[in-house]
Amino acid sequence: MTKRNTQQRRHTILARVNQHGEVSVEALALEFETSEVTIRKDLTALEKSGLLLRRYGGAIALPKEIVAKGDEKRDTLRKMAIAKAASALIKDHNRIIIDSGRTTAAMIPELSKKRGLVVMTNAMNIANRLLSLENEPTLLMTGGTWDPHSESFQGQVAEQVLRSYDFDQLFIGADGIDVERGTTTFNELVGLSQVMAESAREVIVLVESEKIGRKIPNLELPWQQVTTLITDNLLADDTRKAIEAKGIQLICAEA
């Protein structure tokens, strides 16, 4: 399939979505006489361009109310900047873990040009996005017990699976950063995060600047387990210095 034909197909898919309000992967695959994998990649590309919304088994047209307010747009831009800075640390053929979370999920489109990746995740939404990438990284999943709070698999089974592998990098978010102690979370299930950190040579935390200084009772990863912290460029200078004094590599992405 040439690039021209791909563009024509995606243009027609978008027209179908806008005309009918929704489309299914199965119906589109039959119409275009192609695989469902190809159609899912088309829908992912169109969603990335902000032209439709993916839904299970297909896609829907963008509702008028989807237009984000100014603060929401800025929040999205910051997540994308942090995700881009994180993905720049990944080399071809790396073995990585991507933990559940909106900021970590924002990394997935940035991985499309990486070759030979092996990616472990505990989140189904991240797994589905990885499967839609044209470079087709090798996907591993932890399995385990589904936790609706974090929308991810947790528990002893997941921990045992992770201990069977070794990885170059872990990419993980946080609900808060205690500048003195490390990353914090509202979730009391921190065992898997700690095993993830133990299984990777580098631990890279992705977090927006407003979460830094937010003290939450549950310590997730102490600074001793963190290699790099990636945030946005709104971080105060004194906080930057305090984090760097802990021996952490600090990257402030320009949003």
Side-chain angles (χ1 to χ4, degrees):
M1 180 66 70
T2 66
K3 184 175 181 181
R4 178 179 175 85
N5 287 339
T6 298
Q7 291 174 339
Q8 290 175 337
R9 186 180 63 247
R10 291 177 180 177
H11 178 79
T12 304
I13 289 172
L14 184 59
R16 297 281 189 277
V17 173
N18 290 332
Q19 180 182 2
H20 301 292
E22 61 181 325
V23 292
S24 74
V25 170
E26 183 179 6
L28 290 173
L30 288 172
E31 178 179 351
F32 293 103
E33 297 181 346
T34 189
S35 69
E36 293 189 3
V37 171
T38 296
I39 296 299
R40 282 195 290 270
K41 290 177 180 177
D42 290 338
L43 296 180
T44 297
L46 291 168
E47 182 182 51
K48 182 181 175 183
S49 299
L51 299 173
L52 51 72
L53 290 177
R54 290 292 308 276
R55 289 292 183 267
Y56 182 78
I60 63 171
L62 285 173
K64 293 180 180 179
E65 61 269 19
I66 200 67
V67 179
K69 297 179 182 178
D71 289 345
E72 292 172 332
K73 287 182 178 178
R74 284 192 293 272
D75 183 57
T76 299
L77 288 173
R78 284 189 295 165
K79 279 183 169 58
M80 291 173 63
I82 292 168
K84 187 172 183 179
S87 66
L89 301 178
I90 302 172
K91 298 177 181 178
D92 289 346
H93 306 288
N94 269 15
R95 298 164 60 87
I96 66 175
I97 308 170
I98 301 180
D99 190 24
S100 60
R102 289 190 299 165
T103 307
T104 50
M107 293 175 58
I108 305 306
E110 301 293 335
L111 303 183
S112 61
K113 296 181 180 179
K114 308 290 183 180
R115 302 175 62 183
L117 291 182
V118 176
V119 186
M120 171 76 82
T121 186
N122 61 333
M124 288 194 294
N125 66 318
I126 290 176
N128 287 332
R129 293 184 186 187
L130 285 165
L131 288 173
S132 70
L133 294 180
E134 293 185 9
N135 56 336
E136 298 181 347
T138 299
L139 172 64
L140 305 173
M141 289 203 71
T142 63
T145 303
W146 180 254
D147 172 40
H149 176 78
S150 62
E151 296 186 342
S152 63
F153 290 104
Q154 302 284 338
Q156 292 184 359
V157 170
E159 293 171 17
Q160 289 171 2
V161 169
L162 272 163
R163 289 192 177 101
S164 302
Y165 296 88
D166 64 282
F167 296 91
D168 298 299
Q169 296 159 308
L170 162 64
F171 295 89
I172 187 170
D175 293 322
I177 298 290
D178 185 324
V179 176
E180 292 302 318
R181 298 191 301 160
T183 74
T184 57
T185 179
F186 293 111
N187 194 347
E188 294 183 356
L189 300 175
V190 298
L192 186 62
S193 298
Q194 292 165 356
V195 174
M196 284 180 173
E198 292 166 3
S199 302
R201 284 184 282 277
E202 294 180 66
V203 176
I204 297 138
V205 177
L206 286 61
V207 64
E208 297 92 328
S209 59
E210 71 266 17
K211 293 182 179 179
I212 298 176
R214 180 189 293 179
K215 295 183 179 181
I216 300 168
N218 300 318
L219 179 67
E220 189 166 26
L221 296 178
W223 285 129
Q224 292 87 341
Q225 288 186 284
V226 177
T227 309
T228 302
L229 177 67
I230 304 178
T231 187
D232 55 69
N233 61 344
L234 299 180
L235 189 63
D237 287 339
D238 58 341
T239 307
R240 293 188 191 198
K241 293 176 182 177
I243 292 172
E244 289 174 335
K246 299 291 184 182
I248 305 300
Q249 178 187 16
L250 180 63
I251 299 174
C252 296
E254 189 78 29

